[in-house]
Short mmCIF file of all heavy atoms in Angstrom, two decimals:
data_model
loop_
_atom_site.label_atom_id
_atom_site.label_comp_id
_atom_site.label_asym_id
_atom_site.label_seq_id
_atom_site.Cartn_x
_atom_site.Cartn_y
_atom_site.Cartn_z
N LEU A 4 -6.24 1.07 -1.22
CA LEU A 4 -6.33 0.16 -0.22
C LEU A 4 -7.51 0.51 0.56
O LEU A 4 -8.27 1.42 0.46
CB LEU A 4 -4.98 0.27 0.59
CG LEU A 4 -3.80 -0.03 -0.16
CD1 LEU A 4 -2.55 0.14 0.83
CD2 LEU A 4 -3.69 -1.41 -0.55
N THR A 5 -7.83 -0.37 1.53
CA THR A 5 -8.95 -0.19 2.37
C THR A 5 -8.62 -0.18 3.88
O THR A 5 -7.79 -1.01 4.48
CB THR A 5 -9.86 -1.47 2.22
OG1 THR A 5 -10.13 -1.73 0.84
CG2 THR A 5 -11.26 -1.22 2.88
N ARG A 6 -9.01 0.95 4.51
CA ARG A 6 -8.69 1.13 5.97
C ARG A 6 -9.58 -0.09 6.64
O ARG A 6 -10.53 -0.65 6.19
CB ARG A 6 -9.08 2.46 6.50
CG ARG A 6 -8.17 3.51 5.93
CD ARG A 6 -8.55 4.78 6.52
NE ARG A 6 -7.71 5.85 6.28
CZ ARG A 6 -6.70 6.33 6.97
NH1 ARG A 6 -6.38 5.74 8.15
NH2 ARG A 6 -6.01 7.27 6.64
N LEU A 7 -9.25 -0.12 8.02
CA LEU A 7 -9.96 -1.14 8.71
C LEU A 7 -11.54 -0.85 8.92
O LEU A 7 -12.35 -1.75 9.08
CB LEU A 7 -9.34 -1.42 10.19
CG LEU A 7 -7.95 -1.89 10.18
CD1 LEU A 7 -7.41 -2.07 11.55
CD2 LEU A 7 -7.83 -3.24 9.44
N ASN A 8 -11.80 0.43 8.84
CA ASN A 8 -13.20 0.89 9.01
C ASN A 8 -13.96 0.78 7.70
O ASN A 8 -15.23 1.13 7.60
CB ASN A 8 -13.19 2.37 9.49
CG ASN A 8 -12.66 3.39 8.46
OD1 ASN A 8 -12.39 3.10 7.34
ND2 ASN A 8 -12.66 4.59 8.75
N GLY A 9 -13.28 0.21 6.63
CA GLY A 9 -14.01 -0.15 5.29
C GLY A 9 -13.94 1.01 4.37
O GLY A 9 -14.30 0.73 3.14
N LYS A 10 -13.31 2.13 4.66
CA LYS A 10 -13.16 3.31 3.71
C LYS A 10 -11.94 3.02 2.90
O LYS A 10 -10.88 2.64 3.38
CB LYS A 10 -13.13 4.62 4.49
CG LYS A 10 -14.35 4.89 5.16
CD LYS A 10 -14.43 6.33 5.68
CE LYS A 10 -15.67 6.59 6.38
NZ LYS A 10 -16.04 7.97 6.41
N ASN A 11 -12.09 3.43 1.62
CA ASN A 11 -10.90 3.31 0.67
C ASN A 11 -10.08 4.49 0.85
O ASN A 11 -10.47 5.58 1.23
CB ASN A 11 -11.43 3.32 -0.77
CG ASN A 11 -12.17 2.01 -1.13
OD1 ASN A 11 -11.96 1.02 -0.26
ND2 ASN A 11 -12.92 1.95 -2.09
N ILE A 12 -8.58 4.24 0.54
CA ILE A 12 -7.63 5.26 0.78
C ILE A 12 -6.73 5.15 -0.40
O ILE A 12 -6.35 4.00 -0.77
CB ILE A 12 -6.98 5.24 2.10
CG1 ILE A 12 -5.90 6.37 2.22
CG2 ILE A 12 -6.41 3.88 2.34
CD1 ILE A 12 -5.52 6.54 3.58
N MET A 13 -6.26 6.16 -1.04
CA MET A 13 -5.27 6.15 -2.02
C MET A 13 -3.99 6.49 -1.41
O MET A 13 -3.92 7.52 -0.67
CB MET A 13 -5.55 7.09 -3.21
CG MET A 13 -6.88 6.80 -3.92
SD MET A 13 -6.83 5.25 -4.95
CE MET A 13 -5.81 5.87 -6.26
N ILE A 14 -2.97 5.74 -1.61
CA ILE A 14 -1.65 5.99 -1.12
C ILE A 14 -0.55 6.10 -2.08
O ILE A 14 -0.71 5.35 -3.14
CB ILE A 14 -1.19 5.02 0.12
CG1 ILE A 14 -0.95 3.69 -0.49
CG2 ILE A 14 -2.21 5.05 1.15
CD1 ILE A 14 -0.14 2.87 0.35
N ASN A 15 0.43 6.92 -1.95
CA ASN A 15 1.63 6.89 -2.78
C ASN A 15 2.52 5.84 -2.45
O ASN A 15 3.18 5.95 -1.36
CB ASN A 15 2.31 8.46 -2.65
CG ASN A 15 3.43 8.52 -3.71
OD1 ASN A 15 3.95 7.50 -4.13
ND2 ASN A 15 3.88 9.72 -3.69
N CYS A 16 2.60 4.71 -3.18
CA CYS A 16 3.45 3.69 -2.85
C CYS A 16 4.91 3.88 -2.98
O CYS A 16 5.73 3.20 -2.36
CB CYS A 16 3.05 2.48 -3.65
SG CYS A 16 3.29 2.71 -5.42
N GLU A 17 5.36 5.00 -3.48
CA GLU A 17 6.67 5.43 -3.48
C GLU A 17 7.17 5.80 -2.13
O GLU A 17 8.44 5.94 -2.02
CB GLU A 17 6.99 6.59 -4.49
CG GLU A 17 6.47 6.28 -5.98
CD GLU A 17 7.33 5.19 -6.65
OE1 GLU A 17 8.48 4.96 -6.25
OE2 GLU A 17 6.75 4.53 -7.61
N LEU A 18 6.27 6.16 -1.18
CA LEU A 18 6.69 6.64 0.11
C LEU A 18 6.67 5.58 1.16
O LEU A 18 6.95 5.94 2.36
CB LEU A 18 5.73 7.84 0.54
CG LEU A 18 5.72 9.09 -0.48
CD1 LEU A 18 4.83 10.09 0.04
CD2 LEU A 18 7.23 9.65 -0.54
N ILE A 19 6.33 4.32 0.78
CA ILE A 19 6.27 3.30 1.73
C ILE A 19 7.71 2.80 2.19
O ILE A 19 8.65 2.66 1.41
CB ILE A 19 5.50 2.01 1.15
CG1 ILE A 19 4.15 2.28 0.83
CG2 ILE A 19 5.86 0.83 2.11
CD1 ILE A 19 3.43 1.27 0.20
N GLN A 20 7.92 2.86 3.50
CA GLN A 20 9.22 2.38 4.04
C GLN A 20 9.21 0.96 4.31
O GLN A 20 10.06 0.22 3.84
CB GLN A 20 9.56 3.19 5.38
CG GLN A 20 10.85 2.82 5.81
CD GLN A 20 11.22 3.80 7.08
OE1 GLN A 20 10.54 4.42 7.59
NE2 GLN A 20 12.52 3.64 7.46
N TYR A 21 8.30 0.45 4.97
CA TYR A 21 8.00 -0.98 5.20
C TYR A 21 6.58 -1.37 5.49
O TYR A 21 5.70 -0.41 5.83
CB TYR A 21 8.99 -1.56 6.14
CG TYR A 21 8.90 -1.01 7.59
CD1 TYR A 21 8.04 -1.53 8.50
CD2 TYR A 21 9.72 0.03 7.97
CE1 TYR A 21 7.99 -0.98 9.88
CE2 TYR A 21 9.69 0.59 9.16
CZ TYR A 21 8.81 0.02 10.11
OH TYR A 21 8.74 0.59 11.36
N ILE A 22 6.20 -2.72 5.35
CA ILE A 22 4.83 -3.14 5.61
C ILE A 22 5.11 -4.30 6.47
O ILE A 22 5.91 -5.20 6.29
CB ILE A 22 4.14 -3.57 4.42
CG1 ILE A 22 4.04 -2.37 3.36
CG2 ILE A 22 2.70 -4.18 4.66
CD1 ILE A 22 3.53 -2.82 1.91
#
Side-chain angles (χ1 to χ4, degrees):
L4 299 174
T5 310
R6 288 185 178 264
L7 295 182
N8 65 6
K10 294 192 177 202
N11 291 343
I12 184 171
M13 297 291 287
I14 66 163
N15 182 344
C16 59
E17 303 292 338
L18 299 178
I19 295 173
Q20 184 173 10
Y21 58 89
I22 302 170

